[in-house]
Amino acid sequence: MKKIWFALSLAVVSIALVSCGSAPSDAVVPQEQYDSLKSQYEALQSDYSSLQTEYDSIKSDLDSANKQVEDLLLMAEEEESKDAPVSVDVLVYDDEYVEIRFIGCELDRDDEQLVFMATNKTDSELTFQSGTMAIDGLSLGYVSGSDSVASQSKGKVRFETEEEFPTMAPSTISGTIKVIDFEKTIWGSQSYEVPFTNLDVAQ
């Protein structure tokens, strides 16, 4: 608004100066009036230049702030995308007794979980437990979770950890899953372990 006012003022004073300069030779324009108009014109020109500089500076700052906001929003979107749980389906292990597949990370309230789909091919109930696991090379410390799957069926097996997951969409996972037959009816020992190291689970 100030910029428009200065521009209009400059126009008015310029017209007045031109009128003085183009007046008929017999018209007498007091020197004092001319000098006053000229002084006003020069002052307005100076003020307009200062205002233009101030406007350019403010516009530059505003453009820079808008760019920072855009960058922050983009980073937030990328972070949200990275941390969003992703469903996958990757074979971890398969034998005559079980098939184990990694199907992703899930949130149960505030608890982060590594989730597997276990298929029990036997006629006995099997239980699945785990030692520590790692996501993208970061060990997750103590792991809790013990899920059983009925005979000739499949079900989800979930493991929770004390450490916060570095991401909910891992590229690799490592760990060990223990397959347990508490009834000791299938094989000689009560259990056996299924280890996996840097298993590629990127979607």
Side-chain angles (χ1 to χ4, degrees):
M1 190 68 186
K2 286 173 66 179
K3 212 174 160 187
I4 296 174
W5 183 85
F6 274 119
L8 290 174
S9 299
L10 273 172
V12 170
V13 175
S14 297
I15 292 170
L17 284 171
V18 170
S19 298
C20 290
S22 61
S25 57
D26 58 345
V28 178
V29 177
Q31 184 66 37
E32 183 178 342
Q33 181 181 352
Y34 177 83
D35 290 342
S36 176
L37 287 171
K38 184 178 179 183
S39 178
Q40 290 179 48
Y41 176 76
E42 290 173 349
L44 285 171
Q45 270 194 322
S46 176
D47 290 343
Y48 181 82
S49 296
S50 298
L51 185 61
Q52 182 67 49
T53 301
E54 183 181 353
Y55 169 80
D56 291 341
S57 176
I58 292 173
K59 185 176 184 302
S60 176
D61 291 343
L62 182 60
D63 290 343
S64 178
N66 286 335
K67 180 66 168 58
Q68 290 181 18
V69 170
E70 290 176 2
D71 290 344
L72 287 172
L73 288 174
L74 182 61
M75 288 173 60
E77 289 176 1
E78 291 175 350
E79 193 68 21
E80 183 179 354
S81 175
K82 184 185 79 170
D83 288 337
V86 175
S87 295
V88 296
D89 186 5
V90 179
L91 179 65
V92 176
Y93 181 77
D94 188 21
D95 65 14
E96 60 183 305
Y97 306 113
V98 298
E99 178 187 270
I100 302 174
R101 308 185 75 88
F102 176 68
I103 59 174
C105 298
E106 294 182 0
L107 281 173
D108 181 18
R109 298 182 180 88
D110 293 330
D111 295 326
E112 299 168 328
Q113 300 175 332
L114 286 159
V115 185
F116 297 81
M117 181 63 72
T119 300
N120 181 357
K121 303 177 184 179
T122 75
D123 292 328
S124 297
E125 177 184 294
L126 295 179
T127 301
F128 298 83
Q129 297 178 354
S130 175
T132 189
M133 291 192 177
I135 287 179
D136 293 350
L138 179 65
S139 178
L140 299 175
Y142 175 74
V143 175
S144 62
S146 178
D147 284 320
S148 297
V149 179
S151 64
Q152 299 298 331
S153 65
K154 63 181 180 180
K156 287 185 177 181
V157 176
R158 297 176 172 87
F159 300 115
E160 298 177 3
T161 69
E162 291 187 347
E163 300 293 332
E164 183 177 346
F165 287 13
T167 175
M168 294 296 284
S171 297
T172 63
I173 59 170
S174 301
T176 302
I177 295 176
K178 182 178 290 187
V179 183
I180 306 171
D181 170 23
F182 284 111
E183 297 177 3
K184 300 181 182 179
T185 59
I186 304 175
W187 50 79
S189 60
Q190 182 175 318
S191 65
Y192 68 94
E193 293 185 345
V194 175
F196 47 95
T197 303
N198 290 330
L199 181 67
D200 185 357
V201 294
Q203 184 68 0

